[in-house]
Amino acid sequence: MSAHTQEKVQSNALALLPLLVFLIIFLGSGLYHSMIGTEFAFYQVKAPVAAIPAVILALLLYKQKLNVAIEEFLQGASHPNLILMFMVFMLAGAFASVSSTIGSVDATVQLGLSLISAEFVLPMLFIIAAFIATAMGTSMGTIAACAPIAFGFAQATEIAPIYAIGAVVGGAMFGDNLSMISDTTIAATRSQNVELRDKFRVNIWIAFPAAIMTLVLYIFMSHQAEAIQSKPYDIWLILPYLAVFFLAFTRLHVLAVLMIGIILSGVIGLIEKPEFDLLKLNSSIYDGFVGMFEVALLSMVLGGLSTLMQKEGGLQWLIQRIYSLTRLFKFGKQRAGELGISFLVVFSNLFVANNTVAIILSGDMAREVAREYGVDPKRSAALLDIFSCVVQGIIPYGAQLLLACSIAKLSPVELIGNIYYCWILAVCAVLAIVFHYPRLKTC
């Protein structure tokens, strides 16, 4: 959001109420059913259904006519970023379904078990996800490619699926945060008017130690894991995942990568599996679509909802309150400014559930805070990107966790505490603010 747009929007705390209603219904229901011992507690109330009362309330709170409010909602739900997200969900579901049906996941897992000791499975998943996300510049595409394999490893070993999926999501957020072609990196550097390489030089000194600590933690966690004897596998069935892995490093568009993966899986299945015909290929692709429909629909509904809250001034009110709080901090002007910048993007991300949009929304105000408090723009850009990725990696209604949990059949709320990298990164970033680290000459 530009400064000009921010000035035109009148702040309004009441505009934030719809998202709070959604969270109370969705999370409240899950917590209640967990307390009474219901299986699949967080699946008792479907998230898109829980969003309906929130959407109705947002439409009623909108100050203009109902038809105008609906049009604004539809524009938000059909934003190009959300359409891209919807397509990634659909194609990721189809690729996971087809590759699983022909046995690609099992074959890839058996190859991994033949090459890697069980105690290194979690670190390996984290590293692979980090490399792919850095190359692709997208955590979504990375999770789509890696989550099925991580789930397969969990089923073949004693490692709980929640740890394996957590390693993939953590690695994906690491790469998304540092990638030169990530939309979060581009948004953060543009909003603060700094060069990509300068932001990277600050960012790496905070993110890399967090990644090392996460790897050490994963090694200790799986140190007692027993060696698993690998089974015979068909090398050709591994080709779809190898293709997706290497195509990621060509920086081909994520939709093209996933589409090639689907086609390759289908062709290999038709050749290698006599029982796999065109009708089964058709059914597998459609089953993948169906499996992702709930999260894809939710992402679009929340996109429309956040647009209404933004148009009504809810996010502007939130950003202004956080900005005013920075004046109350008494432990150093620069530290106060950096904490204020961090809070701006954290709370923006909580309400829009999109790290790139959160950076864009809070970017202008963050630049103003940086100028007033003497914060180097390179540090403000790094903090915007870091804390947006931290929040995006742990909110249960964010696209990343919804995608990963849909593939692995897990509850997003249960997964939150197991995204170790994001929590460690948050601690490292806070310490970097407190101790003004890194102390680079360019900063």
Side-chain angles (χ1 to χ4, degrees):
M1 181 188 293
S2 67
H4 178 66
T5 306
Q6 286 183 349
E7 289 173 1
K8 291 174 64 177
V9 177
Q10 186 175 1
S11 65
N12 176 19
L14 196 62
L16 298 174
L17 188 59
L19 186 59
L20 294 178
V21 169
F22 164 71
L23 293 177
I24 289 169
I25 296 173
F26 177 55
L27 298 182
S29 168
L31 292 172
Y32 169 74
H33 283 285
S34 295
M35 291 171 59
I36 64 175
T38 307
E39 286 191 39
F40 304 107
F42 285 91
Y43 288 94
Q44 297 306 305
V45 173
K46 299 297 184 183
V49 177
I52 291 176
V55 172
I56 293 173
L57 179 58
L59 293 172
L60 293 175
L61 290 175
Y62 201 72
K63 292 186 175 66
Q64 299 189 43
K65 293 181 180 179
L66 180 61
N67 286 357
V68 177
I70 292 173
E71 288 296 325
E72 294 286 4
F73 173 83
L74 293 175
Q75 286 184 18
S78 60
H79 189 279
N81 285 343
L82 288 171
I83 298 298
L84 172 62
M85 195 181 299
F86 185 94
M87 293 301 298
V88 169
F89 277 132
M90 293 292 105
L91 293 182
F95 176 59
S97 178
V98 176
S99 59
S100 177
T101 301
I102 68 172
S104 287
V105 175
D106 292 336
T108 304
V109 169
Q110 295 307 320
L111 171 64
L113 291 175
S114 68
L115 299 174
I116 302 163
S117 171
E119 65 184 282
F120 295 114
V121 166
L122 290 177
M124 177 205 67
L125 290 172
F126 180 84
I127 291 171
I128 289 176
F131 272 113
I132 292 179
T134 303
M136 294 180 73
T138 168
S139 52
M140 290 291 291
T142 301
I143 293 170
C146 297
I149 296 176
F151 187 54
F153 269 111
Q155 291 178 312
T157 65
E158 295 181 347
I159 297 170
I162 206 161
Y163 297 138
I165 297 300
V168 166
V169 175
M173 299 316 296
F174 170 84
D176 192 13
N177 178 210
L178 287 178
S179 175
M180 291 290 190
I181 60 171
S182 168
D183 49 1
T184 59
T185 297
I186 294 169
T189 52
R190 285 183 178 176
S191 69
Q192 304 306 298
N193 296 324
V194 299
E195 296 291 331
L196 289 169
R197 63 180 180 273
D198 292 330
K199 175 261 183 189
F200 179 85
R201 292 174 67 182
V202 177
N203 208 154
I204 190 67
W205 285 99
I206 302 172
F208 189 69
I212 295 298
M213 285 186 272
T214 304
L215 286 172
V216 172
L217 177 61
Y218 281 138
I219 291 172
F220 277 112
M221 283 176 58
S222 52
H223 185 68
Q224 302 299 324
E226 296 182 5
I228 305 295
Q229 187 66 37
S230 63
K231 300 175 183 177
Y233 56 87
D234 186 342
I235 192 69
W236 288 105
L237 295 178
I238 301 170
L239 189 57
Y241 277 108
L242 289 177
V244 168
F245 179 82
F246 286 109
L247 285 173
F249 289 92
T250 66
R251 295 178 180 174
L252 190 64
H253 197 287
V254 60
L255 296 185
V257 171
L258 290 172
M259 185 64 75
I260 291 171
I262 294 169
I263 294 171
L264 198 55
S265 297
V267 170
I268 291 174
L270 292 171
I271 295 172
E272 292 284 302
K273 302 286 183 179
E275 70 280 8
F276 188 82
D277 54 22
L278 287 174
L279 285 178
K280 287 193 175 180
L281 173 60
N282 170 76
S283 297
S284 295
I285 292 174
Y286 187 72
D287 288 344
F289 289 163
V290 171
M292 289 293 172
F293 178 74
E294 180 181 339
V295 294
L297 176 61
L298 178 62
S299 67
M300 298 186 76
V301 170
L302 290 180
L305 189 63
S306 68
T307 296
L308 288 178
M309 292 190 300
Q310 178 185 336
K311 293 282 186 180
E312 277 296 281
L315 295 173
Q316 180 67 8
W317 178 87
L318 184 67
I319 289 172
Q320 288 176 354
R321 298 289 83 72
I322 296 171
Y323 177 66
S324 63
L325 283 175
T326 60
R327 301 175 183 274
L328 302 178
F329 295 142
K330 305 295 183 182
F331 48 85
K333 186 175 181 181
Q334 186 170 330
R335 291 185 181 90
E338 291 182 357
L339 278 177
I341 290 167
S342 303
F343 281 130
L344 285 174
V345 75
V346 163
F347 283 96
S348 295
N349 210 146
L350 287 173
F351 280 91
V352 300
N354 184 302
N355 45 349
T356 305
V357 174
I359 291 171
I360 294 170
L361 282 172
S362 54
D364 288 345
M365 191 68 75
R367 189 170 64 249
E368 186 177 331
V369 171
R371 184 167 52 247
E372 182 174 340
Y373 287 81
V375 177
D376 192 295
K378 304 177 191 66
R379 286 182 66 87
S380 64
L383 291 172
L384 282 173
D385 202 348
I386 287 171
F387 279 101
S388 70
C389 283
V390 165
V391 174
Q392 192 65 27
I394 60 175
I395 51 175
Y397 49 94
Q400 284 76 3
L401 262 65
L402 291 173
L403 175 59
C405 291
S406 293
I407 292 173
K409 311 303 179 188
L410 296 170
S411 164
V413 177
E414 294 171 341
L415 185 60
I416 292 173
N418 295 278
I419 314 294
Y420 298 123
Y421 170 73
C422 288
W423 294 108
I424 294 173
L425 178 62
V427 173
C428 288
V430 171
L431 292 175
I433 292 172
V434 173
F435 295 103
H436 192 58
Y437 172 86
R439 295 179 181 274
L440 301 177
K441 291 181 180 180
T442 55
C443 296

